[in-house]
Every structure is written in structure tokens, then in C-alpha cells.
Amino acid sequence: MIKAVTFDAYGPADVLRLGDADLPAPGPGQVRVAVRCAGVNPIDHKLRSGALAELFPLDLPHVPGLEASGLVEAVGEGVTEVRAGDAVLGRTVTGAYAEQALASAAELVVKPLSLAWEEGAALPVAAETAWRTLDALRLSEEETLIVHGAAGGVGTLAVQFARARGIRVIGTASESNHEYLRGLGAIPVAYGEGLADRVREAAPEGVDAALDAVGKGDAVGVSVELTGGPDRVVTIADAEGARRHGVRFSSGPSAQTATALGAALALHEAGILQLPVHRVYPLSQAAEAQRASEHGHLTGKIVLAVV
């Protein structure tokens, strides 16, 4: 048996409980990871609340969590990418809010010694989502991209990946995060009424594409207005807005986790990767961590320390 956070009914954060769960066994192509840290993402609380139950029904009880860093403890048949004892990070196929989780070996990368466990757990979902959505937007060098929620986990990686490709980035965020965005190479603009006018002032030559990573206000509608149509607007956070405005809702994941993590680790090796850890909570405080995630207005990612 292992310790894991589970919920057996949809509801508020209070439904999360720390208790015993079965030790998972890796199948072909899988590994079992002794989790050191797990990332907390907005989709975790959306799944727990039941807000996405029609799109992504869960078998209950359910262990939340999509990403982790840790040590490979056991490998399944046919695994050659990693071996027992390797320090790794990546997406998991069983819940990461647990002492042990399964992952596809193809979606793991070896963790550099210079990358902390907390940072490693914060990367996989943000990196894969940012990489996938930028590819969907078909951006070219010197085009202009607006990222809504640019100071969050996905937004932070999207800004850095885009800047590395020579793309100009405008990032929306609360004013307290504007200096942070400037440090990433983005032009910050504030949320709220008059957003479109502020963006036009910051980018008088126009906006070519938009990524909504926040799902609040009318970010999707403003993006369609700024780009001139729905074709080059992607949201990961507003399915209803996507339907209403005819834009793409990208829910992932794709098979690009390892590629995206490789790109992120290349930035880390060059000494320029930024993905702040907003706060680290112990596994026993998973409910508090999800409440903080629901509240929003974070810089970077929330992480659970499992060990």
C-alpha cells in the first residue's frame, strides 16, 4: 500500500482525503516513479469539482495530479529509455498526488542535477501545453502573439518558447506581475475593461495570434477582435468561450511532452529558463494547494512535496 490523496465524490476541495491506495504495477512501456514532488494545475480542481465531468468523466475514487518528479523504482516490459534509480520528470498516467505513480517511459526525461525536484514537477504540463498550443498557432519569427495569463505556469513557458523563436509577445497579467513579464521578454498589459485598446497601443502594427491560458473575462472574444478572426486563437481554459466564438479549445495532452521538456531543459542549460514555484505544500495539504490554485493570480506554479 502507498499513501495517496483521493476523492470519491465531486465537490469542493474538502472532498480530498489522504489515505491508503494500492501500489500500481507498471505495464509494457511504463515505469513506476517514487514521487518526490507533484505539480498542481488548474485542471486538477476543475476535474475534482465536476466542472469537466461531461468532457472527462472519472472513475471514482480518483487520485488527482498529472505531473511529477521522482526516482524510477520499477520498469515495465520493453522500457529502454530510463532505468531504475534514474531521477526523472514528466507526465504521469496515474495520479501524481501519491507516493508512487505510473508514467509512460516515452514521456519522461532525465532530471538534470541542477534542477530542483520542485522545479522539475512544475515543468511537464506547462511545457507540453505551451509547446502544443504554439505549434497550433503556426507562429513565425517576428509575428506578434498575445498570451492571456502570461504570468502563470503555461503562460510563463509560452512566453519563453515564443521569444526563443523570435516572436514578439504581449502578456496580460495583473500589474504586480508586469515587471516579471518584462524579465521574460514580454510586453505587459493589464487585464480588465479597455484591454483591446491597451493592446493596440502596445502593438500598433497588430496582433497575429492569441493564446488564452486564463479563461477569465472575455479573453477569447477580445482575442478574436484583435487578430481579426477565430483561426489563430487558441484557448486552454474557456471551452464555452471557444464554442461561442468559433475558436479552438485545446485540451491535450499530445505526444509532445518529451519534446517540450527537451526544449525547456535546453533553456535551463543555457541559464535562462524561468518557472517560479509559487509555493510548495506538503501532500497532506493538497486541499489547501488546490484552493490556492482556484483563487488564481499566481506567479508560476504550486507544487506538492510528497517526500
Side-chain angles (χ1 to χ4, degrees):
M1 301 294 286
I2 60 171
K3 292 296 183 185
V5 172
T6 64
F7 60 93
D8 57 16
Y10 296 121
D14 293 340
V15 301
L16 296 172
R17 295 285 186 271
L18 179 62
D20 292 329
D22 292 331
L23 179 69
Q30 293 182 334
V31 302
R32 186 170 71 238
V33 177
V35 177
R36 291 294 186 90
C37 290
V40 176
N41 293 282
I43 194 171
D44 297 350
H45 68 74
K46 293 176 182 178
L47 289 170
R48 183 216 71 227
S49 71
L52 299 179
E54 289 190 10
L55 284 174
F56 304 110
L58 302 176
D59 292 328
L60 301 176
H62 178 78
V63 180
L66 302 175
E67 60 185 343
S69 61
L71 294 171
V72 175
E73 187 168 277
V75 300
E77 181 184 350
V79 171
T80 58
E81 296 91 341
V82 294
R83 59 185 180 180
D86 281 349
V88 295
L89 59 131
R91 293 185 70 106
T92 58
V93 295
T94 61
Y97 291 21
E99 291 177 331
Q100 303 273 339
L102 298 183
S104 168
E107 294 202 0
L108 296 176
V109 297
V110 174
K111 184 187 78 67
L113 288 174
S114 55
L115 189 72
W117 292 111
E118 295 86 354
E119 295 171 318
L123 271 176
V125 168
E128 185 277 331
T129 305
W131 192 264
R132 163 171 40 91
T133 50
L134 289 182
D135 279 357
L137 289 170
R138 308 180 309 280
L139 287 151
S140 301
E141 188 174 355
E142 296 187 0
E143 286 194 306
T144 298
L145 167 72
I146 182 169
V147 177
H148 298 282
V154 172
T156 289
L157 266 296
V159 170
Q160 291 174 88
F161 285 157
R163 294 295 299 135
R165 300 181 189 186
I167 297 160
R168 186 183 188 210
V169 180
I170 296 169
T172 70
S174 58
E175 292 194 14
S176 61
N177 284 319
H178 283 194
E179 193 59 36
Y180 169 70
L181 292 184
R182 291 187 186 96
L184 297 180
I187 301 168
V189 294
Y191 291 125
E193 186 177 350
L195 172 60
D197 290 336
R198 289 191 294 278
V199 173
R200 290 189 183 100
E201 183 177 351
E205 75 289 350
V207 173
D208 299 293
L211 166 58
D212 168 34
V214 69
K216 294 181 179 179
D218 189 26
V220 172
V222 171
S223 296
V224 171
E225 177 186 347
L226 289 168
T227 61
D231 291 347
R232 298 188 73 190
V233 178
V234 171
T235 178
I236 63 169
D238 187 0
E240 173 56 27
R243 184 198 62 77
R244 189 168 62 252
H245 293 284
V247 310
R248 186 181 312 188
F249 175 69
S250 183
S251 60
S254 66
Q256 299 186 77
T257 297
T259 300
L261 285 174
L265 293 181
L267 295 177
H268 172 73
E269 186 176 349
I272 57 175
L273 175 70
Q274 294 190 55
L275 183 55
V277 173
H278 179 79
R279 182 172 171 182
V280 179
Y281 291 81
L283 185 63
S284 60
Q285 294 181 16
E288 288 81 352
Q290 285 202 2
R291 288 190 193 99
S293 177
E294 285 183 90
H295 181 69
H297 299 291
L298 309 177
T299 302
K301 291 285 292 285
I302 292 174
V303 171
L304 294 176
V306 178
V307 176

